[in-house]
Amino acid sequence: MNRSDLMDTFGVSVNQASTDLNRYIGMAPGNMAYDKSARTYIRGTEFQSLFLKPDASRYLSQLRSVADGILDRDEAWMGQFPSYDAAPTPARGVNAKTLRSVVAAIRRSEAIEVKYQSLSQPESRWRWIAPHAIAFDGFRWHARAFCLTDQLFKDFLLSRIIETRGTKPSGVGADADADWNDQVTLEIGPHPELSDTQQKVIALDYGMRGGSAKIPVRKALLYYALKRLGLDTDPSARRPQDQQIVLLNGALLDPRAKAQASAYRMEG
């Protein structure tokens, strides 16, 4: 980098760019070296990050956001992008007005009347729900809400809310949603039928320590978590090379949590 890079990126003057470079060199003398032939500063051989802790997950999530069109390149903090792409994910048709209405109901602790199309019913119908949170199951966004019609907490896909209308005070808050507030811990490990070398690779893939990794998850999201990890079926139903991981503490999970996962409350 050089002065013009700072000037273009931050809109500062030549003098300010020079001052900033000199100040940084004074704070971290070994981080930059001046390349006279290229007339620019290059990374020092003993570079140690001074302000930003290197985070691979953050870097890759920025690439993913740009690839998915969620974030513009100009809004990302990366100066230079490698060649990249991501497997396409179908866009979910969440209406901005619907989202605004649901978020407003959450913020005001209100119930909202929605016209919802459930796949368990041939026609859409109006119902009152009291949303208290929004959740992502890995593919779709839904509202976690108390259904005043069925008198229980359910997940309502935002993309299936066709229309919204009136609101009213809600007498049911998030504190009453036990499955949302309670957590279980999934302990995963490499599939035991993989070779030792393969198990070590899987352990690295999932950031395991001592042969296992612990994943805290809300009971309300347990079904989705198990499904995404491929743990919702018997490990023997797939090849070890395809399954790769197994649930180590399945027998220790709260029976109620396991029952909730197998009979999760998704409205259509």
Side-chain angles (χ1 to χ4, degrees), residues 142-145 152-156 179 220 223-224 260-268:
H142 62 256
R144 181 69 178 176
L152 50 81
F153 285 97
K154 288 185 175 182
D155 302 332
F156 292 86
D179 286 335
Y223 168 82
Y224 309 116
Q260 185 272 338
S262 61
Y264 75 111
R265 303 294 187 179
M266 167 69 79
E267 182 55 40

Side-chain angles (χ1 to χ4, degrees), residues 19-130:
T19 299
D20 291 340
L21 283 171
N22 289 329
R23 184 182 179 193
Y24 183 78
I25 292 171
M27 298 172 69
N31 276 8
M32 293 197 304
Y34 190 72
D35 187 328
K36 293 183 179 179
S37 60
R39 302 181 67 180
T40 190
Y41 288 96
I42 61 174
R43 179 189 179 105
T45 56
E46 298 180 358
F47 178 89
Q48 293 291 331
S49 179
L50 184 62
F51 296 108
L52 179 66
K53 181 180 179 180
D55 189 331
S57 296
R58 185 182 179 198
Y59 181 89
L60 295 175
S61 67
Q62 288 245 332
L63 281 184
R64 172 73 184 274
S65 296
V66 173
D68 286 348
I70 299 172
L71 189 70
D72 291 336
R73 287 178 64 120
D74 293 341
E75 296 174 346
W77 54 261
M78 288 178 283
Q80 295 181 336
F81 285 78
S83 179
Y84 66 95
D85 207 339
T89 301
R92 298 295 177 176
V94 178
N95 183 279
K97 183 179 178 181
T98 296
L99 178 60
R100 183 171 63 245
S101 297
V102 171
V103 171
I106 293 173
R107 185 174 62 250
R108 299 169 185 165
S109 299
E110 293 178 335
I112 183 172
E113 193 175 15
V114 302
K115 190 176 185 181
Y116 192 81
Q117 178 60 67
S118 170
L119 295 187
S120 62
Q121 300 288 335
E123 301 294 335
S124 59
R125 61 171 177 162
W126 287 96
R127 66 170 67 204
W128 284 93
I129 65 173

Side-chain angles (χ1 to χ4, degrees), residues 179-200:
D179 286 335
W180 179 263
N181 294 307
D182 293 345
Q183 286 192 340
V184 294
T185 299
L186 304 179
E187 187 174 1
I188 61 172
H191 198 294
E193 294 183 16
L194 293 174
S195 69
D196 290 343
T197 303
Q198 290 171 330
Q199 290 188 37
K200 290 179 181 178

Side-chain angles (χ1 to χ4, degrees), residues 55 94 105 120 132 140 161 168 249:
D55 189 331
V94 178
S120 62
H132 68 77
R140 305 175 296 183
I161 298 178
K168 63 182 180 181
N249 66 335

